[in-house]
Amino acid sequence: LSKAALINADRVLTVSPNYTKEIQTPEGGFRLENFVRAKGDALRLGGILNGIDDVWNPETDKDLVAKYSVDDFQAGKAANKAHVQQMLGLYEDPAVVLIGFVGRLTWQKGVDVMVQIINWLIEDTGNGVTGRCQIVMMGNGERQYADALRWAEGTYKGRVCGYVGFDPKVEHLLMGACDLFLMPSRYEPCGLPQMYAQMYGTLPVVHETGGLKDSVKGLWDDSQLDVATGFLFGGFNEGA
């Protein structure tokens, strides 16, 4: 069906410019890359980055306990963090880095990668970074990953919340409360949560793929301090 659509469509549009490039490769084309490239060669292929709904605005968001703007975001995020910590059974500590994830519990979303680094994030190894954070992961999906979230919450009670399920109000609260938002997707045509996060002053940490690459300006060195909106990484290995 997809092959027939590619051949017969007058024009093919994706939800991000970078994903348009990726689906023309063997890695991203899922054996349809030749048909996609044919559209590109005929100048019938393009990508338009998705946008987000106006409800994602911390100045007007009714689900936040404290609305805020760029002028008072530190106080606003602190109030929302305290509320989320209390609501989800985390230790109330304004100094910890609150890390969030909301998405399907699947391999494509990189859930296995996040589960693998929980021990490292939570345990203080003396490097001045790890051991000073809390993690909230929310979503529905494959049983193995749901069980992994439950294991993490049970192992690190008060420091990890494995929310198996989905509540849109909690998603809004997490955007207003978290310091970092994880999206290590193996592939992502566009993605929306990384855009929500940036609207709420929550720094996205994303894999350099698809629309994630298009929508997050990464901090690669000090020269990007004035324009960076998050962090990008490439590849899936311990060094990444």
Side-chain angles (χ1 to χ4, degrees), residues 54-217:
D54 291 340
V55 299
W56 295 98
N57 184 343
E59 296 186 55
T60 58
D61 194 330
K62 59 180 175 31
D63 291 320
L64 300 184
V65 296
K67 300 179 181 66
Y68 57 90
S69 69
V70 67
D71 297 320
D72 59 353
F73 74 95
Q74 290 180 313
K77 288 189 74 67
N80 287 295
K81 178 188 283 189
H83 177 73
V84 164
Q85 288 173 328
Q86 183 180 39
M87 180 180 69
L88 298 181
L90 301 174
Y91 297 127
E92 295 184 49
D93 184 350
V96 300
V97 175
L98 184 59
I99 302 172
F101 166 81
V102 179
R104 295 193 315 277
L105 305 182
T106 64
W107 177 87
Q108 181 249 325
K109 293 294 184 181
V111 176
D112 57 313
V113 176
M114 290 181 279
V115 170
Q116 289 173 25
I117 65 171
I118 287 176
N119 289 337
W120 175 77
L121 285 171
I122 294 298
E123 294 178 5
D124 189 346
T125 58
N127 60 14
V129 178
T130 57
R132 303 183 183 186
C133 66
Q134 295 175 343
I135 306 168
V136 179
M137 298 177 66
M138 179 173 75
N140 284 308
E142 297 175 23
R143 181 175 178 178
Q144 60 179 321
Y145 299 126
D147 289 344
L149 263 59
R150 296 187 181 101
W151 165 84
E153 179 175 313
T155 303
Y156 297 107
K157 206 69 177 176
R159 303 187 67 188
V160 176
C161 173
Y163 193 124
V164 179
F166 178 74
D167 186 328
K169 292 184 177 181
V170 175
E171 183 180 25
H172 278 253
L173 278 168
L174 289 178
M175 293 301 173
C178 287
D179 300 293
L180 300 174
F181 188 84
L182 301 182
M183 283 192 72
S185 303
R186 285 181 166 83
Y187 60 90
E188 193 68 66
C190 182
L192 296 176
Q194 81 280 5
M195 299 184 192
Y196 305 156
Q198 291 171 85
M199 281 293 296
Y200 286 67
T202 298
L203 297 176
V205 181
V206 305
H207 181 215
E208 192 179 20
T209 187
L212 301 179
K213 183 177 180 178
D214 286 322
S215 59
V216 179
K217 297 178 180 178

